[in-house]
Amino acid sequence: MVTSHVDPHQRSQDARRRVLEMALSLRDGPPGGSVDHFLALLQYRLPFWLSVLHDLTHRAGSGTVAGNLVPVARAGLDYHLEVQAAALPAFSSPNVTVRVREALRAAGFGPEAEVAPLAAYLEEERRLGRVAAGVDPEASARLLLAGCFHRAYIELFVGADLVPPREVSAEEIVRELRLEPPS
């Protein structure tokens, strides 16, 4: 399940191009609205976020699994906090939500774009014996991403002062996946 090597710069440029194409397909009014803001932020942040996930593949077998995943969880918290803040006003209309959803799917940015590289990393670590044999890499990848999304969502609504610091939250998310084999 290891992903093939693709030049990270090329992967980022491809992601930016696909978001731009998606943005152009959704344009139906004057520029500068909340959907444009969301898509501009997505074009800027999504390629970086995906590269963080894809770069994990090269870390399999080095460092510790938790040490490799905590920076990913931290980047996920930052990514989701920024993107959700822009998405909330953009998706005030069900029509816009459906159109963006369809465009994301057509561009290949569905949930699998995040889950696949993270699951591939966990699968490789499991193969190396650094993740417990009974761990489901895909389910664990989805849980890590869901933890990041949820934590970012809560901070957006209640404020950073009422939740643990992001670094602490990233460590908690990774620790509570309990990926390590029994000692």
Side-chain angles (χ1 to χ4, degrees):
M1 192 160 158
V2 174
T3 57
S4 62
H5 177 70
V6 175
D7 175 48
H9 177 73
Q10 183 60 43
R11 184 183 309 113
S12 290
Q13 293 305 314
D14 179 57
R16 282 187 179 87
R17 178 189 52 75
R18 290 186 296 161
V19 173
L20 182 58
E21 289 170 357
M22 183 176 66
L24 292 173
S25 75
L26 291 169
R27 164 85 29 91
D28 68 347
S34 58
V35 174
D36 284 347
H37 176 73
F38 167 72
L39 292 170
L41 182 64
L42 199 61
Q43 186 177 15
Y44 171 70
R45 291 291 285 140
L46 184 63
F48 174 75
W49 171 231
L50 293 177
S51 71
V52 166
L53 293 168
H54 283 277
D55 287 349
L56 269 176
T57 305
H58 307 293
R59 295 182 182 198
S62 64
T64 65
V65 174
N68 292 337
L69 290 176
V70 168
V72 171
R74 176 58 201 260
L77 290 170
D78 293 342
Y79 169 77
H80 285 294
L81 189 61
E82 286 184 62
V83 171
Q84 286 180 58
L88 289 173
F91 298 130
S92 60
S93 157
N95 180 43
V96 170
T97 302
V98 169
R99 289 177 55 221
V100 171
R101 180 185 306 142
E102 290 169 352
L104 283 169
R105 286 180 184 164
F109 292 132
E112 193 58 25
E114 292 179 297
V115 173
L118 186 51
Y121 166 76
L122 292 172
E123 175 64 34
E124 182 62 16
E125 292 286 24
R126 187 176 70 174
R127 189 189 67 73
L128 294 171
R130 293 165 34 103
V131 165
V135 166
D136 179 335
E138 192 168 322
S140 296
R142 286 193 309 267
L143 286 170
L144 186 145
L145 295 168
C148 294
F149 183 88
H150 180 264
R151 166 55 178 77
Y153 187 79
I154 296 301
E155 180 177 330
L156 195 66
F157 281 98
V158 302
D161 58 325
L162 292 179
V163 293
R166 291 183 199 163
E167 190 63 36
V168 170
S169 292
E171 291 169 1
E172 290 172 344
I173 290 166
V174 170
R175 181 185 65 239
E176 293 308 314
L177 288 174
R178 301 177 193 262
L179 298 169
E180 292 82 19
S183 309

